[in-house]
Amino acid sequence: MMLVDTLVERIAACKAPVVVGLDPVIESIPDAYFADYDDSLEGVSAAIYDFNKDVIDAIEGLVPAVKPQIAFYEMFGSAGIASFEKTARYAKAKGFVVVEDGKRNDIGNTARAYAQGHLGKVRLNRKEVSSPFNLDFLTVSPFLGEESLEPFIHVCREYDKGIFILVRTSNPGNRMVQDAKSSEGKTVSEALASYIDTQARLYTGASGYSSIGAVVGATYPREAAALRQAMQTSVFLVPGYGAQGGGAQDVVPCFNEDGLGAIVNSSRGILYSYLAPYGKGCSKTQYRQSVTQATQVMQREIYAALRAHYPKMIY
Amino acid sequence: MMLVDTLVERIAACKAPVVVGLDPVIESIPDAYFADYDDSLEGVSAAIYDFNKDVIDAIEGLVPAVKPQIAFYEMFGSAGIASFEKTARYAKAKGFVVVEDGKRNDIGNTARAYAQGHLGKVRLNRKEVSSPFNLDFLTVSPFLGEESLEPFIHVCREYDKGIFILVRTSNPGNRMVQDAKSSEGKTVSEALASYIDTQARLYTGASGYSSIGAVVGATYPREAAALRQAMQTSVFLVPGYGAQGGGAQDVVPCFNEDGLGAIVNSSRGILYSYLAPYGKGCSKTQYRQSVTQATQVMQREIYAALRAHYPKMIY
C-alpha cells in the first residue's frame, strides 16, 4: 500500500484529518519533564523525548499523523537531533505517519542530500543504508524554483515518500513573495500549484491522492478554495488552525467533497492548552489528559464542520 | 570589533574575498579519509571531520572564511550534526569566519528557534547557554516574507552575528519565484533588496558594511550590478563561481569600488579539483596540496579581476 493511501486510510479510521505538531518549546513544557535531567543540551534533549512520548501516547488512535518541527530540536545541536530521531522512531512504531516540518530547500546535489537524508537512503563509504531520519513526509520551500523541487520529488517516487511544498503559508507577510506575479499574470502560489498538480498526477495512489502535496494555510479560505481546485489530487498540509487564528470553518475549503485531501495541523493549541487550567506545575497524568482532550475537541470541531459542508464525505 | 569589520579586515589581509565551501560529498572524498573508520553513520561522520580538518589546514591564512553546507552533515543524522559542530569549532579556533549554508526559514517562534540555535543563545530549563553551533553567519530563505526574516535580524543585532538572505540565487530556475513582480512592479529580488538595504543600514560596522547580507549568484552579472547599487552596505555571499559556470569577470559587479562588499564561494572547484590529476587513491598530502593550489588559483583570478576593474580598491 502506498504512503498516501495509508494516510487516507488512517484519516478515515480516526475520522480525523488532523496532525499534531510536536513543537517542544522549553518554556512551555511542564516542569515535571525536566525533573530527572540536568540543564545540559543532552539533559534537555532527553526531557524533550520523554515529553514527546507522553504526547504521542496521549493521542494514539485519535489522529493519523504527527509533525515534529525540527527547528525546536536542531537548536540543541546533535543532542537535539538525536532526540528528534528517537521521537520519529517512536511515533512510527506507534503507527503514526510522521511529517517533518523542516522547510528545506536547495539545488542540485545539496537538495538531493536533504531529500535522501530525511526521506530516502544515504550512501556511506561502501554501502547504502536507510536515512537516519527515515520520515514519511518533509515540508519543502520552493524559493529556488522548480529545479530545487525535482530532487525531492525524485526521492518521493523512488522510496514512496511525500513532501508538502510551501504554496500559501499562514502568515500575513507571505504576500511579499507568494502574491508576486509572473509575466503571464500568475502569482507565485498559482505557478507552484500548477507545477505541483502536474507532478502529483504522475504519482497517485489507489485512493486517487498523491503524496506530492502542498502547504496551504488555514488563514486564507478564499485562496485555499482556488488552490484546492488547482491541485485536486495533492494532499494539503494546513497550518494556522487554533493559535494562529484559523477556525474549523476556515479549513473546510482545503478539502474535497469526499472529506479528504487535507490534514490540519495544531501544535500550541494541543501541546500547551494545559497551561491555562494547570500551569507549569501540572503532573504528567494531568498533562496527558489535557493533550487527549484538546485533540478530541479539535477532531470534533473539524469533523463536524466537514460533515456540515460535505454530505458526500466518505468517512 | 564587530563581526562584519573582522570579516572585512581578514578579506583585506588575505587579499581574498573568497569563502571555501565545506561540502563533504562522500563519493568525491579521497579513500584515505575512510581508511580508519567503518561504514556506519558515526564512522563516515568521523571521516568527514578528518577531511574537513585537512581542508581547513590547507587553506589557513589564504582565505577569511569557510562555508559548511549543513545538508551534507544533516544527512547522517545526529552523528553528522556532531561532525558539523566540531568542524565549525575547529574552523573558528583557526581564525576563520564560519558561514553556515542552511537556507533556514520559518515564522514566529520557529524562526527564533533557528536563529537562536544556529547563531545566538539557547535557553535550557533554568539557564541560557551559547548555541551548540555558534556560527558567525547563516543563509536564510525569504519565502515566507519579511516577517520571517525579522527574528533572524533581531538575533544578529543582539549577538553581533550575520545572515545572508537569498535574493538572486545562481540557478537558472530561480526566475519562477525571484522574477515574479509585486503590484508596484518590483521583482521579488528587488523587493527583498530594498528590505535588506533598510535593515543593513540600521546595523553597520566601522567599515561601513553590514552583516545583514544577501546571496547574489555569480551567474547573473547584470542583475548583480543592479543589486549592488540597491544594497550598498550589505555584504554579498556569491555562489556559482567555478563548477556552476561563473568566472572571475562575472563576480566583479558584486563588489563596490573599494574591492569589498562580497565574498565569492567555491566548493567543488576547490575540494574536488584533486580528482582529475590524482583520482580517489590520492594521498592526504597530495590532497592538501591540491586544495591549497586550487584556492591560490581562485584567489589570484578574483584579485586580478578586481584590481583591473577597481583601481581605487583598498587592499
Side-chain angles (χ1 to χ4, degrees):
Chain A
M1 187 183 264
M2 280 172 64
L3 169 65
V4 71
D5 300 324
T6 303
L7 177 62
V8 163
E9 187 182 89
R10 292 192 195 159
I11 288 170
C14 297
K15 297 187 190 301
V18 169
V19 50
V20 173
L22 299 177
D23 297 9
V25 176
I26 297 305
E27 294 81 352
S28 304
I29 293 175
D31 293 334
Y33 290 97
F34 297 102
D36 295 339
Y37 301 106
D38 63 3
D39 283 1
S40 63
L41 295 169
E42 290 73 21
V44 164
S45 299
I48 285 174
Y49 179 53
D50 287 353
F51 170 75
N52 283 342
K53 281 195 294 187
D54 267 12
V55 174
I56 291 165
D57 290 349
I59 61 176
E60 196 178 349
L62 298 181
V63 299
V66 292
K67 180 177 77 67
Q69 164 55 262
I70 196 169
F72 294 111
Y73 302 82
E74 190 171 299
M75 69 189 298
F76 303 114
S78 52
I81 294 294
S83 173
F84 179 87
E85 290 166 346
K86 285 195 288 181
T87 298
R89 229 166 8 238
Y90 188 79
K92 288 191 78 152
K94 289 263 179 174
F96 289 89
V97 170
V98 182
V99 179
E100 175 188 350
D101 200 350
K103 299 185 177 60
R104 296 303 194 245
N105 66 146
D106 217 297
I107 52 168
N109 70 341
T110 310
R112 202 155 48 241
Y114 277 132
Q116 289 175 331
H118 290 257
L119 300 171
K121 291 193 172 188
V122 295
R123 170 149 291 282
L124 301 178
N125 183 28
R126 285 159 298 236
K127 67 176 182 189
E128 204 174 53
V129 297
S130 275
S131 107
F133 298 112
N134 194 19
L135 298 148
D136 297 309
F137 284 88
L138 173 67
T139 60
V140 176
S141 171
F143 189 75
L144 290 93
E146 290 177 11
E147 74 199 281
S148 71
L149 304 173
E150 281 159 17
F152 291 96
I153 291 171
H154 184 83
V155 164
C156 286
R157 294 179 66 132
E158 188 170 358
Y159 301 102
D160 188 27
K161 299 288 185 166
I163 51 174
F164 295 109
I165 297 167
L166 304 188
V167 170
R168 174 63 69 184
T169 57
S170 56
N171 61 311
N174 79 58
R175 299 190 177 278
M176 177 191 197
V177 174
Q178 298 166 32
D179 267 359
K181 285 185 177 171
S182 69
S183 51
E184 298 89 52
K186 272 190 185 178
T187 65
V188 167
S189 292
E190 288 164 353
L192 286 165
S194 162
Y195 172 76
I196 293 167
D197 186 55
T198 303
Q199 296 295 326
R201 287 178 191 278
L202 294 170
Y203 190 64
T204 55
S207 61
Y209 283 99
S210 174
S211 61
I212 311 298
V215 172
V216 177
T219 38
Y220 300 101
R222 232 168 311 169
E223 273 103 338
L227 291 169
R228 181 72 276 169
Q229 283 307 307
M231 294 179 279
Q232 291 180 17
T233 63
S234 289
V235 177
F236 289 5
L237 172 64
V238 182
Y241 182 83
Q244 284 183 59
Q249 297 304 318
D250 298 318
V251 305
V252 166
C254 294
F255 289 82
N256 284 317
E257 295 209 333
D258 55 8
L260 293 169
I263 46 172
V264 181
N265 179 72
S266 178
S267 305
R268 278 172 284 175
I270 288 175
L271 266 53
Y272 307 121
S273 63
Y274 85 93
L275 279 166
Y278 298 114
K280 295 258 289 173
C282 176
S283 75
K284 290 185 180 182
T285 306
Q286 287 169 326
Y287 179 70
R288 286 189 300 265
Q289 286 169 350
S290 160
V291 167
T292 301
Q293 281 165 15
T295 306
Q296 288 169 330
V297 168
M298 179 178 173
Q299 181 276 332
R300 278 197 296 265
E301 283 177 2
I302 290 178
Y303 188 68
L306 291 177
R307 273 256 154 249
H309 278 78
Y310 300 120
K312 293 187 214 148
M313 72 183 280
I314 63 170
Y315 60 94
Chain B
M1 186 183 262
M2 279 171 63
L3 169 65
V4 71
D5 299 324
T6 303
L7 177 62
V8 164
E9 188 182 87
R10 291 190 197 160
I11 288 170
C14 298
K15 298 186 190 298
V18 169
V19 51
V20 172
L22 298 176
D23 297 7
V25 176
I26 297 305
E27 294 81 352
S28 304
I29 292 176
D31 292 334
Y33 290 98
F34 297 102
D36 295 339
Y37 301 105
D38 63 3
D39 284 359
S40 64
L41 295 168
E42 291 72 21
V44 164
S45 299
I48 285 174
Y49 179 53
D50 286 353
F51 170 74
N52 283 343
K53 280 195 293 187
D54 268 11
V55 173
I56 291 166
D57 290 349
I59 61 175
E60 196 178 351
L62 298 181
V63 300
V66 292
K67 179 176 78 66
Q69 163 55 258
I70 196 168
F72 294 111
Y73 302 83
E74 192 171 298
M75 70 190 296
F76 303 113
S78 52
I81 294 294
S83 174
F84 179 87
E85 290 167 344
K86 286 196 287 180
T87 297
R89 230 167 6 240
Y90 188 79
K92 289 191 78 152
K94 290 262 177 175
F96 289 90
V97 169
V98 182
V99 179
E100 175 188 348
D101 200 351
K103 300 186 177 61
R104 297 305 194 242
N105 65 148
D106 216 296
I107 51 168
N109 69 341
T110 310
R112 202 154 50 241
Y114 276 132
Q116 289 175 331
H118 290 257
L119 300 170
K121 292 193 169 185
V122 294
R123 171 150 291 283
L124 301 179
N125 184 27
R126 285 158 298 237
K127 68 176 181 188
E128 204 174 53
V129 297
S130 276
S131 105
F133 298 113
N134 194 20
L135 298 148
D136 297 309
F137 284 87
L138 174 67
T139 60
V140 176
S141 171
F143 189 75
L144 290 91
E146 290 178 9
E147 73 199 283
S148 71
L149 304 173
E150 281 159 16
F152 290 96
I153 291 171
H154 183 84
V155 164
C156 287
R157 295 178 65 131
E158 187 171 359
Y159 300 102
D160 189 26
K161 299 289 186 166
I163 51 174
F164 295 109
I165 297 167
L166 304 188
V167 171
R168 173 63 70 183
T169 55
S170 56
N171 61 310
N174 79 58
R175 298 189 176 279
M176 178 191 196
V177 175
Q178 297 166 34
D179 267 1
K181 286 185 177 172
S182 68
S183 49
E184 298 89 52
K186 272 189 184 178
T187 65
V188 166
S189 292
E190 288 164 353
L192 286 165
S194 162
Y195 172 76
I196 293 167
D197 186 55
T198 304
Q199 295 295 327
R201 286 178 192 278
L202 293 170
Y203 190 64
T204 57
S207 61
Y209 282 99
S210 174
S211 60
I212 311 299
V215 172
V216 177
T219 38
Y220 300 99
R222 234 171 306 171
E223 272 104 337
L227 292 169
R228 181 72 274 169
Q229 284 307 307
M231 294 179 278
Q232 292 180 18
T233 63
S234 289
V235 177
F236 288 5
L237 172 64
V238 182
Y241 182 85
Q244 284 184 57
Q249 297 305 317
D250 298 317
V251 306
V252 165
C254 294
F255 289 82
N256 285 316
E257 294 209 332
D258 56 8
L260 293 169
I263 45 171
V264 181
N265 180 72
S266 178
S267 306
R268 276 172 284 175
I270 288 175
L271 266 54
Y272 307 120
S273 63
Y274 85 93
L275 279 167
Y278 298 115
K280 294 260 289 174
C282 176
S283 75
K284 290 186 181 182
T285 306
Q286 287 169 326
Y287 179 70
R288 285 189 300 265
Q289 286 170 349
S290 159
V291 167
T292 301
Q293 281 165 14
T295 306
Q296 287 168 331
V297 168
M298 179 179 175
Q299 181 276 332
R300 279 197 296 266
E301 283 177 0
I302 290 178
Y303 188 67
L306 291 177
R307 271 257 154 249
H309 278 78
Y310 300 120
K312 294 186 212 148
M313 72 182 279
I314 61 169
Y315 59 94

